Amino acid sequence: MRRPWPLRILRGIAVAAVVFWSAFPIVLVTLSSLKPSREIFVFPPVWLFSPTFENYTALWRRWPDFFANLTNSFIVTIGATLVAVLASAMAAYVHSRKRTRWLAGAAFFMIFVRLIPPIVITLPLFPLVNLLRLNDTHFVLILLYATFFVSMGTMILKSFVDQIPRELDEAAMIDGAGVWAVFRRVIVPLSTQGMVAVAVFVIVFAWNEFLFAFIFTTTTAKTAPLVLSEMTGAVDGVEWGVLFAATTVQLLPILVFVVLAQKYLIAGLTAGATKG
């Protein structure tokens, strides 16, 4: 049924407002990175200008470590995503197919962990990580990011696994397949969309995470968000053009990725919404 035109106009205005609210900061940062420093904060703002890459060349010259730290962000993000997706898929399979008091308690604990501020969990871990000499390693960040996201990943993937008929499990077991074989040959192929949705969430979280990286890294495994923080606290003043250039470089990969994977994001956000 066709909606009345006032409702369509209101809907269009609402969509335009949301798009503007979301895209304006990104556009502003990107344009500012292409402006000469003297034109970044002039009022009224200059929207038509000759773009320059001097801020990007200054970033390469004055903050060469930023690009090495960007590589660390890639390593940690990919590692955390692989671990989180695998662990979440196995946990979701168990929670979907089994009903015990212990599993109900585990599900409650996973939700409870998500409600606790990360700093409450992070600080007590520092002595242990220090004792194991895992400070400033990629491994500790991969483990922390994956662990922190397994609870949400499990909840998302459970909604997808619940939709897979149990008869498929039983048919595979009649043919001689064990639990691991059922998981690998039945559950994984049929819940691929959910696994991708979880991967998207983990990638966005790990790429932008600051607190864990700030506490557990110093030089070797330092990630890009830490360098951006250092730029805002430079002793000789903030070079806003360079900062905007670094922000754009750090933002660009994840922005492209989110645009390409938006349907999986929506699938993850609406997982279980239609389940009766």
Side-chain angles (χ1 to χ4, degrees), residues 84-140:
V85 170
L86 181 60
S88 299
M90 291 191 290
Y93 176 45
V94 174
H95 281 277
S96 175
R97 295 299 191 255
K98 304 290 183 183
R99 295 284 189 276
T100 69
R101 185 179 301 175
W102 293 103
L103 287 175
F108 172 78
F109 181 74
M110 284 194 296
I111 297 173
F112 178 72
V113 168
R114 291 294 303 181
L115 300 178
I116 300 176
I119 190 69
V120 176
I121 303 172
T122 306
L123 290 181
L125 286 177
F126 185 80
L128 178 63
V129 172
N130 199 36
L131 180 67
L132 297 175
R133 298 184 178 181
L134 292 176
N135 269 326
D136 204 17
T137 63
H138 297 114
F139 177 77
V140 70

Side-chain angles (χ1 to χ4, degrees), residues 137-203:
T137 63
H138 297 114
F139 177 77
V140 70
L141 290 185
I142 290 172
L143 193 62
L144 286 172
Y145 292 172
T147 304
F148 190 75
F149 215 87
V150 160
S151 56
M152 184 174 176
T154 301
M155 294 299 107
I156 293 174
L157 269 173
K158 180 178 178 300
S159 299
F160 285 88
V161 178
D162 284 343
Q163 298 174 31
I164 301 174
R166 290 172 181 265
E167 289 76 10
L168 294 178
D169 300 21
E170 295 167 359
M173 288 182 177
I174 291 173
D175 290 339
V179 174
W180 175 247
V182 171
F183 171 74
R184 188 163 49 89
R185 296 176 182 174
V186 177
I187 302 301
V188 170
L190 295 179
S191 59
T192 302
Q193 188 181 28
M195 296 173 72
V196 176
V198 172
V200 172
F201 281 105
V202 180
I203 288 171

Side-chain angles (χ1 to χ4, degrees), residues 5-261:
W5 64 267
L7 191 59
R8 280 182 282 153
I9 292 176
L10 287 175
R11 183 183 179 186
I13 293 173
V15 171
V18 171
V19 171
F20 177 80
W21 178 266
S22 305
F24 180 73
I26 298 173
V27 173
L28 185 63
V29 167
T30 305
L31 291 178
S32 298
S33 72
L34 297 172
K35 289 180 179 179
S37 298
R38 63 181 178 280
E39 295 184 2
I40 291 177
F41 292 115
V42 295
F43 187 83
V46 178
W47 298 107
L48 297 176
F49 59 93
S50 299
T52 175
F53 290 95
E54 64 180 28
N55 292 321
Y56 290 89
T57 56
L59 172 65
W60 180 266
R61 191 172 58 254
R62 296 172 194 170
W63 296 87
D65 291 346
F66 172 75
F67 296 95
N69 300 137
L70 206 60
T71 304
N72 288 336
S73 292
F74 273 109
I75 295 172
V76 170
T77 299
I78 292 172
T81 302
L82 293 175
V83 175
V85 170
L86 181 60
S88 299
M90 291 191 290
Y93 176 45
V94 174
H95 281 277
S96 175
R97 295 299 191 255
K98 304 290 183 183
R99 295 284 189 276
T100 69
R101 185 179 301 175
W102 293 103
L103 287 175
F108 172 78
F109 181 74
M110 284 194 296
I111 297 173
F112 178 72
V113 168
R114 291 294 303 181
L115 300 178
I116 300 176
I119 190 69
V120 176
I121 303 172
T122 306
L123 290 181
L125 286 177
F126 185 80
L128 178 63
V129 172
N130 199 36
L131 180 67
L132 297 175
R133 298 184 178 181
L134 292 176
N135 269 326
D136 204 17
T137 63
H138 297 114
F139 177 77
V140 70
L141 290 185
I142 290 172
L143 193 62
L144 286 172
Y145 292 172
T147 304
F148 190 75
F149 215 87
V150 160
S151 56
M152 184 174 176
T154 301
M155 294 299 107
I156 293 174
L157 269 173
K158 180 178 178 300
S159 299
F160 285 88
V161 178
D162 284 343
Q163 298 174 31
I164 301 174
R166 290 172 181 265
E167 289 76 10
L168 294 178
D169 300 21
E170 295 167 359
M173 288 182 177
I174 291 173
D175 290 339
V179 174
W180 175 247
V182 171
F183 171 74
R184 188 163 49 89
R185 296 176 182 174
V186 177
I187 302 301
V188 170
L190 295 179
S191 59
T192 302
Q193 188 181 28
M195 296 173 72
V196 176
V198 172
V200 172
F201 281 105
V202 180
I203 288 171
V204 173
F205 165 75
W207 183 259
N208 296 306
E209 203 282 332
F210 177 81
L211 180 62
F212 291 145
F214 178 72
I215 293 177
F216 292 106
T217 65
T218 52
T219 53
T220 306
K222 189 164 66 175
T223 55
L226 296 185
V227 184
L228 295 179
S229 174
E230 291 175 2
M231 289 181 180
T232 61
V235 178
D236 53 351
V238 180
E239 295 180 282
W240 289 103
V242 177
L243 178 60
F244 285 137
T247 304
T248 304
V249 172
Q250 204 264 344
L251 176 66
L252 191 59
I254 201 67
L255 184 63
V256 172
F257 175 77
V258 168
V259 171
L260 294 176

